[in-house]
Amino acid sequence: MDSADLEDLCSHVNSKISIIKKTLHLRNIGQDPSLTSVLSKVAHEMYSLHDLLNKVEKEVRYQESLTNSLKELQGTLSRDFSEATHLTENIPAYLPKKASSSNSAPDVKTEVVVKVTEPEPAKKPAKEKIIKEMELITVQEFGNIPAYIKNRLTYDQINSTIEEINKAVVGKYKILHQPMKSLSNNAKKLLCRFKDEETKDTKGQFFIVDQDIKEFTQVKIDKRFHGMLSILRHCHRIREIRGKGLVRYTVC
């Protein structure tokens, strides 16, 4: 055996002996009555420290959960803000504009000279006949439309279709309300068709057919348009009257 190996072995044995001596010394101390109270206090402090560490761990878990909830809330608020900004920047043109305040003072004062003249006998105006038009869909109504009916159609697309249908209704009934002698030949042909399409069920109603939409608008009568009609029926904007091989879209 080399001297180096012998020295290592002696060092290892001496280390073990030292550990055994320390262990015996500590055991003797533990059996000393004068140190029992000190050891009891140390044990109590250890238990207290362990309990405190458990509370700290529980608080850390709670704070992590709270942080995750706040991150989710932040994400929701960011999406809502983006949607609100988009709506603000894309307000439909057909919505009413905010009236200007009447209290605002004009920049330039102008004098108005009113001339008082003898009024001429007023002619009795002809009674204007009112043409019923569909009301636009509100945001709340759009939100309540089932997804299977709405499909991918947007709020603006639906209201644009309503405006086009109203054009056809107005175009048709302006011809119906004019005297026959004031109509052009084409308008007279249309008037005859309008009369032929009327039934006892349409009396007093405002309605159009597919041909009227083709006549007065650029709307295509396709699958997408019929999807729009399903939404308008669901929102009680139109109802259908069938007969003589025609579907009549009546304004509700």
Side-chain angles (χ1 to χ4, degrees):
M1 182 180 293
D2 295 338
S3 59
D5 293 337
L6 184 59
E7 288 178 0
D8 290 340
L9 179 59
C10 290
S11 176
H12 178 70
V13 171
N14 290 331
S15 176
K16 292 295 183 180
I17 293 171
S18 177
I19 291 172
I20 291 171
K21 287 181 179 180
K22 289 180 181 179
T23 303
L24 292 173
H25 180 65
L26 290 173
R27 189 173 69 175
N28 292 332
I29 292 174
Q31 294 173 351
D32 188 348
S34 63
L35 297 176
T36 302
S37 61
V38 176
L39 292 174
S40 178
K41 289 181 180 179
V42 171
H44 178 71
E45 291 297 329
M46 290 292 292
Y47 286 125
S48 299
L49 181 60
H50 184 267
D51 185 56
L52 180 61
L53 288 174
N54 286 337
K55 290 181 180 179
V56 170
E57 185 179 0
K58 185 182 294 184
E59 181 65 22
V60 169
R61 288 198 297 267
Y62 171 73
Q63 292 296 333
E64 288 178 348
S65 175
L66 183 61
T67 300
N68 292 333
S69 298
L70 290 174
K71 286 181 179 179
E72 291 178 3
L73 179 60
Q74 183 180 15
T76 302
L77 290 175
S78 297
R79 289 193 298 271
D80 291 345
F81 179 77
S82 298
E83 291 177 2
T85 303
H86 176 73
L87 290 173
T88 303
E89 295 174 352
N90 298 274
I91 298 176
Y94 50 76
L95 291 181
K97 304 294 183 182
K98 183 178 180 181
S100 58
S101 176
S102 59
N103 296 327
S104 57
D107 295 334
V108 181
K109 293 183 178 180
T110 56
E111 294 184 358
V112 181
V113 179
V114 179
K115 294 183 179 181
V116 179
T117 57
E118 187 71 21
E120 296 180 358
K123 294 182 179 179
K124 188 175 181 180
K127 186 177 180 181
E128 184 179 355
K129 294 185 178 180
I130 298 174
I131 299 174
K132 186 176 181 180
E133 299 181 45
M134 270 189 285
E135 295 180 357
L136 298 175
I137 299 294
T138 65
V139 175
Q140 183 177 0
E141 285 178 307
F142 179 77
N144 292 332
I145 298 172
Y148 74 91
I149 298 179
K150 192 188 308 181
N151 203 353
R152 295 184 180 179
L153 297 173
T154 65
Y155 174 78
D156 290 338
Q157 288 172 336
I158 296 170
N159 278 332
S160 295
T161 299
I162 289 178
E163 291 179 333
E164 291 299 312
I165 292 176
N166 283 339
K167 285 181 184 177
V169 174
V170 172
K172 171 182 177 178
Y173 283 90
K174 276 186 177 180
I175 293 175
L176 282 169
H177 292 166
Q178 288 182 23
M180 176 68 78
K181 61 182 179 181
S182 65
L183 297 177
S184 64
N185 290 333
N186 183 56
K188 288 178 181 178
K189 292 179 181 179
L190 291 174
L191 180 62
C192 292
R193 178 172 66 81
F194 298 156
K195 295 291 186 180
D196 290 340
E197 292 167 352
E198 292 179 353
T199 66
K200 62 178 182 179
D201 295 325
T202 62
K203 187 175 182 180
Q205 305 291 327
F206 290 85
F207 73 93
I208 57 171
V209 297
D210 288 344
Q211 188 60 39
D212 298 325
I213 295 172
K214 296 177 182 178
E215 184 73 34
F216 297 103
T217 73
Q218 300 297 319
V219 176
K220 293 182 179 180
I221 310 298
D222 54 12
K223 184 178 179 180
R224 179 174 173 274
F225 176 74
H226 286 288
M228 293 282 190
L229 294 180
S230 297
I231 293 174
L232 297 183
R233 286 195 300 271
H234 175 79
C235 295
H236 305 291
R237 291 301 189 274
I238 63 170
R239 64 184 181 90
E240 294 182 357
I241 298 177
R242 298 174 182 268
K244 296 183 180 179
L246 284 175
V247 179
R248 299 160 182 80
Y249 309 115
T250 305
V251 179
C252 294

